[in-house]
Coordinates of all heavy atoms in Angstrom, one line a residue:
R13 N -9.0 8.2 11.6 CA -8.5 8.1 13.0 C -9.6 8.3 14.1 O -9.6 7.7 15.1 CB -7.4 9.1 13.2 CG -6.2 8.9 12.3 CD -5.3 10.1 12.3 NE -6.0 11.3 11.8 CZ -5.6 12.5 11.9 NH1 -4.5 12.8 12.6 NH2 -6.4 13.5 11.5
S14 N -10.5 9.3 13.8 CA -11.5 9.7 14.7 C -12.8 9.7 14.0 O -13.0 10.2 12.9 CB -11.2 11.0 15.3 OG -11.0 12.0 14.3
A15 N -13.9 9.2 14.7 CA -15.2 9.2 14.1 C -16.2 9.8 15.2 O -16.5 9.1 16.2 CB -15.7 7.8 13.7
L16 N -16.6 11.0 15.0 CA -17.4 11.7 16.0 C -18.8 11.5 15.7 O -19.4 11.8 14.7 CB -17.0 13.2 15.9 CG -17.9 14.2 16.8 CD1 -17.6 13.9 18.2 CD2 -17.6 15.6 16.4
Y17 N -19.5 11.0 16.8 CA -21.0 10.8 16.7 C -21.6 12.2 17.0 O -21.3 12.8 18.1 CB -21.4 9.8 17.7 CG -21.3 8.4 17.3 CD1 -20.4 7.5 17.9 CD2 -22.2 7.8 16.3 CE1 -20.2 6.2 17.5 CE2 -22.0 6.5 15.9 CZ -21.1 5.7 16.5 OH -21.0 4.4 16.1
V18 N -22.5 12.6 16.2 CA -23.2 13.9 16.4 C -24.7 13.6 16.4 O -25.3 13.2 15.4 CB -22.9 14.9 15.3 CG1 -23.7 16.2 15.4 CG2 -21.4 15.2 15.2
P19 N -25.4 13.8 17.5 CA -26.9 13.6 17.6 C -27.6 14.5 16.6 O -27.4 15.7 16.7 CB -27.2 13.9 19.1 CG -25.9 13.8 19.8 CD -24.9 14.2 18.8
A20 N -28.4 13.9 15.8 CA -29.0 14.7 14.7 C -30.1 15.6 15.1 O -30.6 16.5 14.3 CB -29.5 13.7 13.6
Q22 N -29.8 17.8 17.6 CA -29.1 18.9 18.3 C -28.5 19.8 17.3 O -27.3 19.5 16.9 CB -28.1 18.3 19.3 CG -28.7 17.4 20.4 CD -29.5 18.2 21.4 OE1 -29.5 19.5 21.4 NE2 -30.2 17.5 22.3
Y25 N -24.9 21.1 17.9 CA -23.8 20.1 17.7 C -23.5 19.9 16.3 O -22.3 19.8 15.9 CB -24.2 18.8 18.3 CG -24.4 18.8 19.8 CD1 -25.1 17.8 20.5 CD2 -23.8 19.8 20.6 CE1 -25.3 17.8 21.8 CE2 -24.0 19.8 22.0 CZ -24.8 18.8 22.6 OH -25.0 18.8 24.0
I26 N -24.5 20.0 15.4 CA -24.2 19.9 14.0 C -23.4 21.1 13.5 O -22.5 21.0 12.8 CB -25.5 19.8 13.2 CG1 -26.3 18.5 13.6 CG2 -25.3 19.8 11.7 CD1 -27.7 18.4 13.0
K28 N -21.4 23.0 15.3 CA -20.1 22.9 15.8 C -19.2 22.0 15.1 O -18.0 22.2 14.9 CB -20.1 22.5 17.3 CG -18.8 22.5 18.0 CD -18.9 22.2 19.5 CE -17.6 22.2 20.2 NZ -17.0 23.6 20.2
A29 N -19.8 20.9 14.6 CA -19.1 19.8 13.9 C -18.4 20.4 12.6 O -17.5 19.8 12.1 CB -20.0 18.7 13.5
L32 N -14.7 21.1 13.4 CA -13.9 20.2 14.2 C -13.0 19.3 13.4 O -13.2 19.1 12.2 CB -14.9 19.3 15.0 CG -15.7 20.0 16.1 CD1 -16.7 19.1 16.7 CD2 -14.9 20.7 17.1
A34 N -12.4 16.1 13.1 CA -12.8 14.7 13.1 C -12.6 14.2 11.6 O -13.1 14.8 10.7 CB -14.2 14.5 13.5
V36 N -14.0 11.5 10.5 CA -15.3 11.1 10.1 C -16.3 11.8 11.1 O -16.1 11.8 12.3 CB -15.5 9.6 10.3 CG1 -16.8 9.1 9.8 CG2 -14.4 8.8 9.5
I37 N -17.4 12.3 10.5 CA -18.6 12.7 11.3 C -19.7 11.8 11.0 O -20.1 11.6 9.9 CB -19.0 14.2 11.0 CG1 -17.8 15.1 11.3 CG2 -20.2 14.6 11.7 CD1 -18.1 16.6 10.8
I38 N -20.2 11.2 12.1 CA -21.4 10.3 12.0 C -22.6 11.0 12.6 O -22.7 11.2 13.8 CB -21.2 9.0 12.8 CG1 -19.9 8.2 12.2 CG2 -22.4 8.1 12.7 CD1 -19.5 7.0 13.0
D40 N -26.0 11.0 13.8 CA -26.7 9.9 14.3 C -28.2 10.1 14.4 O -28.7 11.0 15.2 CB -26.2 9.6 15.7 CG -26.7 8.3 16.3 OD1 -27.1 7.4 15.5 OD2 -26.7 8.1 17.5
E43 N -29.2 5.8 17.9 CA -29.2 5.5 19.3 C -29.2 6.8 20.2 O -29.8 6.8 21.3 CB -27.9 4.7 19.7 CG -27.9 4.1 21.0 CD -26.8 3.0 21.2 OE1 -25.7 3.3 20.8 OE2 -27.1 1.9 21.6
S44 N -28.6 7.9 19.7 CA -28.6 9.1 20.6 C -29.8 9.9 20.5 O -30.0 10.9 21.2 CB -27.4 9.9 20.2 OG -27.5 10.4 18.9
R74 N -25.9 7.7 10.3 CA -26.3 6.4 10.9 C -27.8 6.5 11.0 O -28.4 7.3 11.7 CB -25.7 6.1 12.3 CG -26.3 4.8 12.8 CD -25.5 4.2 14.0 NE -25.7 5.0 15.2 CZ -25.2 4.6 16.4 NH1 -24.5 3.5 16.5 NH2 -25.3 5.3 17.5
N129 N -22.2 -1.2 11.9 CA -22.0 -1.4 13.3 C -22.0 -2.9 13.6 O -22.9 -3.6 13.2 CB -23.0 -0.8 14.2 CG -22.8 0.7 14.4 OD1 -23.8 1.4 14.4 ND2 -21.6 1.1 14.7
V153 N -17.7 -0.4 12.3 CA -17.6 0.5 13.5 C -18.1 -0.4 14.7 O -19.3 -0.8 14.7 CB -18.5 1.7 13.3 CG1 -18.3 2.6 14.5 CG2 -18.1 2.5 12.1
M154 N -17.3 -0.6 15.7 CA -17.6 -1.4 16.8 C -18.6 -0.7 17.7 O -18.4 0.5 18.0 CB -16.4 -1.8 17.6 CG -15.4 -2.7 16.8 SD -16.2 -4.2 16.1 CE -16.7 -5.0 17.6
G155 N -19.6 -1.4 18.2 CA -20.5 -0.9 19.2 C -20.2 -1.6 20.5 O -20.8 -2.6 20.9
T156 N -19.2 -1.1 21.2 CA -18.6 -1.9 22.3 C -19.5 -1.9 23.6 O -19.4 -2.9 24.4 CB -17.2 -1.3 22.7 OG1 -17.3 0.1 22.8 CG2 -16.2 -1.7 21.6
T157 N -20.3 -0.9 23.8 CA -21.1 -0.8 25.0 C -22.2 -1.9 24.9 O -22.4 -2.7 25.8 CB -21.7 0.5 25.2 OG1 -20.7 1.5 25.3 CG2 -22.6 0.6 26.4
I193 N -13.1 0.6 13.1 CA -13.1 1.7 14.1 C -13.6 1.2 15.4 O -14.6 0.5 15.5 CB -14.0 2.9 13.6 CG1 -13.4 3.5 12.4 CG2 -14.1 3.9 14.7 CD1 -14.3 4.6 11.7
D194 N -12.8 1.5 16.5 CA -13.1 1.0 17.8 C -14.3 1.8 18.4 O -14.6 2.9 17.9 CB -11.9 1.2 18.7 CG -12.0 0.5 20.1 OD1 -12.9 -0.3 20.3 OD2 -11.1 0.8 20.9
G195 N -15.0 1.2 19.4 CA -16.0 2.0 20.1 C -15.5 3.1 20.9 O -14.3 3.2 21.2
P196 N -16.4 4.0 21.4 CA -16.0 5.2 22.1 C -15.6 4.9 23.6 O -15.9 3.9 24.2 CB -17.2 6.1 22.1 CG -18.3 5.1 22.0 CD -17.9 3.9 21.2
H197 N -14.9 5.8 24.1 CA -14.5 5.9 25.6 C -15.5 6.9 26.2 O -15.6 8.0 25.8 CB -13.1 6.3 25.8 CG -12.7 6.4 27.2 ND1 -12.4 5.3 28.0 CD2 -12.6 7.5 28.0 CE1 -12.1 5.7 29.2 NE2 -12.2 7.0 29.3
F198 N -16.2 6.4 27.2 CA -17.4 7.2 27.7 C -17.1 8.1 28.9 O -17.9 9.0 29.2 CB -18.5 6.3 28.1 CG -19.3 5.8 26.9 CD1 -18.9 4.6 26.3 CD2 -20.3 6.5 26.4 CE1 -19.6 4.1 25.2 CE2 -21.0 6.0 25.3 CZ -20.6 4.9 24.7
N199 N -15.9 8.0 29.6 CA -15.6 8.9 30.7 C -14.9 10.1 30.2 O -13.7 10.1 29.8 CB -14.7 8.1 31.7 CG -14.5 8.9 33.0 OD1 -14.6 10.1 33.0 ND2 -14.3 8.2 34.1
L200 N -15.7 11.2 30.1 CA -15.2 12.4 29.4 C -14.2 13.2 30.3 O -13.4 13.9 29.8 CB -16.4 13.4 29.1 CG -17.4 12.8 28.2 CD1 -18.5 13.8 27.9 CD2 -16.8 12.4 26.8
K201 N -14.2 13.0 31.6 CA -13.4 13.7 32.5 C -12.0 13.1 32.8 O -11.1 13.7 33.2 CB -14.1 14.0 33.8 CG -15.3 14.9 33.7 CD -15.9 15.2 35.0 CE -17.1 16.2 34.9 NZ -17.7 16.5 36.2
D202 N -11.9 11.8 32.5 CA -10.7 11.1 32.8 C -9.8 11.1 31.6 O -9.9 10.2 30.8 CB -11.0 9.6 33.3 CG -9.8 8.9 33.9 OD1 -8.7 9.3 33.6 OD2 -10.0 8.0 34.7
C206 N -8.8 8.1 28.8 CA -9.2 8.3 27.4 C -7.9 8.1 26.5 O -8.0 7.4 25.5 CB -9.7 9.7 27.2 SG -10.2 10.1 25.5
S209 N -7.1 4.4 26.3 CA -8.1 3.7 25.5 C -7.7 4.0 24.0 O -7.8 3.0 23.2 CB -9.5 4.2 25.7 OG -10.4 3.6 24.9
C210 N -7.4 5.2 23.6 CA -7.0 5.5 22.3 C -5.7 4.7 21.8 O -5.7 4.2 20.7 CB -6.8 7.0 22.1 SG -8.2 8.0 22.3
G220 N -9.1 3.6 13.7 CA -9.5 4.8 14.4 C -10.4 4.4 15.6 O -10.6 3.2 15.9
K221 N -11.0 5.4 16.2 CA -11.8 5.2 17.4 C -13.0 6.2 17.3 O -12.8 7.4 16.9 CB -11.0 5.5 18.7 CG -11.7 5.1 20.0 CD -10.7 5.0 21.1 CE -11.5 4.6 22.4 NZ -11.9 3.2 22.4
A222 N -14.1 5.7 17.7 CA -15.3 6.5 17.8 C -15.2 7.5 19.0 O -14.5 7.2 20.0 CB -16.6 5.7 18.0
V223 N -15.8 8.7 18.8 CA -15.6 9.8 19.7 C -17.0 10.3 20.0 O -17.9 10.5 19.1 CB -14.7 10.9 19.2 CG1 -14.8 12.1 20.0 CG2 -13.3 10.4 19.0
I224 N -17.3 10.6 21.3 CA -18.7 11.1 21.7 C -18.7 12.5 22.1 O -19.7 13.1 22.3 CB -19.3 10.2 22.8 CG1 -18.4 10.1 24.0 CG2 -19.6 8.8 22.2 CD1 -19.1 9.5 25.2
H225 N -17.5 13.1 22.2 CA -17.4 14.5 22.6 C -16.2 15.1 21.9 O -15.1 14.5 21.9 CB -17.3 14.7 24.1 CG -17.5 16.1 24.6 ND1 -16.6 17.0 24.5 CD2 -18.6 16.7 25.2 CE1 -17.0 18.2 25.0 NE2 -18.3 18.0 25.4
P226 N -16.3 16.4 21.4 CA -15.1 17.0 20.8 C -13.9 17.0 21.6 O -12.7 17.1 21.1 CB -15.6 18.4 20.5 CG -17.1 18.3 20.3 CD -17.5 17.2 21.3
V227 N -14.0 17.1 22.9 CA -12.8 17.1 23.8 C -11.9 15.9 23.6 O -10.7 16.0 23.9 CB -13.2 17.3 25.3 CG1 -13.8 16.0 25.8 CG2 -12.0 17.8 26.1
Q228 N -12.4 14.8 23.1 CA -11.7 13.6 22.9 C -10.9 13.6 21.6 O -10.1 12.7 21.4 CB -12.6 12.4 22.9 CG -13.3 12.2 24.3 CD -14.3 11.1 24.2 OE1 -14.9 10.8 23.2 NE2 -14.4 10.4 25.4
L229 N -11.2 14.5 20.7 CA -10.6 14.5 19.3 C -9.1 14.6 19.4 O -8.4 13.9 18.6 CB -11.2 15.5 18.4 CG -12.6 15.3 18.0 CD1 -13.2 16.5 17.3 CD2 -12.7 14.1 17.0
T230 N -8.6 15.5 20.2 CA -7.1 15.7 20.3 C -6.4 14.4 20.6 O -5.4 14.0 20.0 CB -6.8 16.8 21.3 OG1 -7.4 18.0 20.8 CG2 -5.3 17.0 21.4
Y231 N -6.9 13.8 21.7 CA -6.2 12.5 22.1 C -6.3 11.4 21.1 O -5.4 10.7 20.8 CB -6.9 12.0 23.4 CG -7.1 13.0 24.5 CD1 -8.3 13.2 25.1 CD2 -6.0 13.8 24.9 CE1 -8.5 14.2 26.1 CE2 -6.2 14.7 25.9 CZ -7.4 14.9 26.5 OH -7.6 15.9 27.5
T232 N -7.5 11.3 20.4 CA -7.7 10.3 19.5 C -6.9 10.5 18.2 O -6.2 9.5 17.8 CB -9.2 10.2 19.1 OG1 -10.0 10.1 20.3 CG2 -9.5 9.0 18.2

Side-chain angles (χ1 to χ4, degrees):
R13 299 165 299 166
S14 53
L16 175 67
Y17 280 108
V18 176
Q22 300 285 353
Y25 296 159
I26 298 174
K28 185 177 180 63
L32 296 176
V36 185
I37 297 174
I38 301 174
D40 189 22
E43 196 163 48
S44 64
R74 179 163 71 172
N129 278 138
V153 183
M154 297 303 301
T156 47
T157 301
I193 295 172
D194 191 13
H197 179 77
F198 282 91
N199 190 332
L200 301 180
K201 293 184 177 181
D202 192 336
C206 182
S209 179
C210 293
K221 190 166 180 67
V223 172
I224 57 171
H225 192 283
V227 73
Q228 298 175 325
L229 285 171
T230 298
Y231 311 128
T232 307

